[in-house]
Amino acid sequence: HNQFDKAGARFANFVTNYPDHKLSLDAARLMLSSFSLGQDGQNLIKWTDILIAKPRFNQGRLGEILTAIKENEDYNKCLSLKDQPMNAATCLLKYAKDYPKGNMAIRAMTGAASFYRRARNRAKVIEIYAAIAKRYPTDARAPDAMYEIGEIHRETADFLEAATAYEKMADTYPKADLSKAALQRAALIRDGLGQDKKVIANAFRALKMKRKRLKKGEEPDPQDAIEAAEVAYRLTVVYLRKKQWRQAV
């Protein structure tokens, strides 16, 4: 969060010293955005209270942003606890429970997961991401949450659970942006576990998705391209090991 903190401080300095400058409204908007992205609830609340009292700033689009922030003050109070990750996470989960149908509910849950991750409480992170996918299955963030479950298991070297989580994500959301990456990672893990059938199944699905997306003109991500090439190589090795020469070629 350091970059957002620094950016917020610089924009705040500009707004303080040049309130009548033609760019001060843009600076104020970017300042609030930096504090929000950096989960700096204390400064977000402080500057919202300052700006909302000034007619120059409390107007137009910026005025709408200030009003929305004020309406979500409970959420921002949770972010003000960012130096106490466990307390911040608990606060955000309570917020999501109190306002389950609000626009900020999922954001609060992912924020809580982020704080628990900082506190190295990975079990709670997995629990939260699973809850997001279960409660909000049609939300665009649901597949990302399921993918993150695989990432947490992979980071803790629980490779079987990681592969299973990646595959579940791809099965549930085959059209999601991360589905191909999930299958590629699952294939690589299954290869390390010596599970050839799973390697072949995941690799074929991932490569098929890759071809479809390339036909649509999508630009491949460099890291994704590296993993795709490695999956293709591992698939060839599996076929050679099984003496299935035709498939290997």
Side-chain angles (χ1 to χ4, degrees):
H1 302 296
N2 289 338
Q3 292 181 347
F4 293 124
D5 290 346
K6 290 178 181 178
R10 288 175 180 172
F11 287 127
N13 183 62
F14 185 92
V15 171
T16 300
N17 293 312
Y18 308 102
D20 297 319
H21 193 280
K22 65 179 182 179
L23 295 177
S24 62
L25 297 182
D26 289 335
R29 180 177 54 78
L30 292 170
M31 173 187 68
L32 296 173
S33 178
S34 296
F35 289 143
S36 178
L37 291 170
Q39 296 184 325
D40 188 348
Q42 188 171 354
N43 270 317
L44 189 62
I45 294 169
K46 169 189 168 183
W47 276 98
T48 296
D49 288 341
I50 291 172
L51 297 178
I52 210 166
K54 297 179 181 293
R56 170 169 169 71
F57 293 96
N58 191 11
Q59 61 172 311
R61 177 57 183 150
L62 180 56
E64 293 174 3
I65 292 171
L66 291 168
T67 300
I69 293 172
K70 198 66 179 174
E71 289 176 351
N72 287 292
E73 194 161 326
D74 286 348
Y75 176 86
N76 297 322
K77 285 178 180 177
C78 293
L79 297 187
S80 70
L81 300 171
K82 69 172 188 172
D83 293 330
Q84 306 167 50
M86 293 293 285
N87 291 336
T90 301
C91 182
L92 285 169
L93 286 182
K94 183 179 183 303
Y95 177 92
K97 183 178 180 181
D98 291 342
Y99 307 100
K101 296 181 180 180
N103 293 330
M104 301 289 286
I106 299 179
R107 186 174 178 182
M109 293 177 75
T110 56
S114 177
F115 281 118
Y116 275 128
R117 203 164 189 169
R118 282 171 55 188
R120 299 186 182 281
N121 190 335
R122 293 185 173 89
K124 288 294 291 185
V125 177
I126 292 172
E127 179 185 318
I128 292 170
Y129 282 135
I132 291 173
K134 183 177 181 180
R135 294 179 199 172
Y136 307 97
T138 60
D139 190 274
R141 290 161 288 189
D144 293 353
M146 293 188 73
Y147 183 85
E148 285 299 319
I149 293 174
E151 291 288 273
I152 295 294
H153 284 307
R154 186 172 65 89
E155 289 171 7
T156 55
D158 192 348
F159 296 119
L160 184 58
E161 287 293 335
T164 301
Y166 287 134
E167 289 160 357
K168 184 177 180 180
M169 180 268 172
D171 289 340
T172 309
Y173 299 101
K175 295 182 179 180
D177 290 342
L178 287 171
S179 58
K180 181 169 68 65
L183 288 171
Q184 288 175 176
R185 295 205 165 183
L188 294 175
I189 291 172
R190 295 292 186 185
D191 183 55
L193 296 173
Q195 299 173 341
D196 290 352
K197 287 185 178 180
K198 289 281 190 179
V199 175
I200 293 171
N202 289 327
F204 261 112
R205 287 182 65 192
L207 293 173
K208 186 176 180 180
M209 287 179 183
K210 180 179 177 65
R211 284 195 296 271
K212 283 184 177 180
R213 293 180 184 184
L214 288 175
K215 284 182 180 179
K216 291 180 180 179
E218 291 185 19
E219 290 291 332
D221 176 81
Q223 181 59 38
D224 180 70
I226 292 172
E227 289 192 2
E230 187 171 357
V231 166
Y233 168 74
R234 298 286 184 91
L235 182 60
T236 301
V237 171
V238 168
Y239 281 134
L240 290 174
R241 188 164 59 236
K242 295 168 73 69
K243 298 183 179 179
Q244 295 178 350
W245 316 118
R246 182 174 296 177
Q247 288 88 339
V249 175

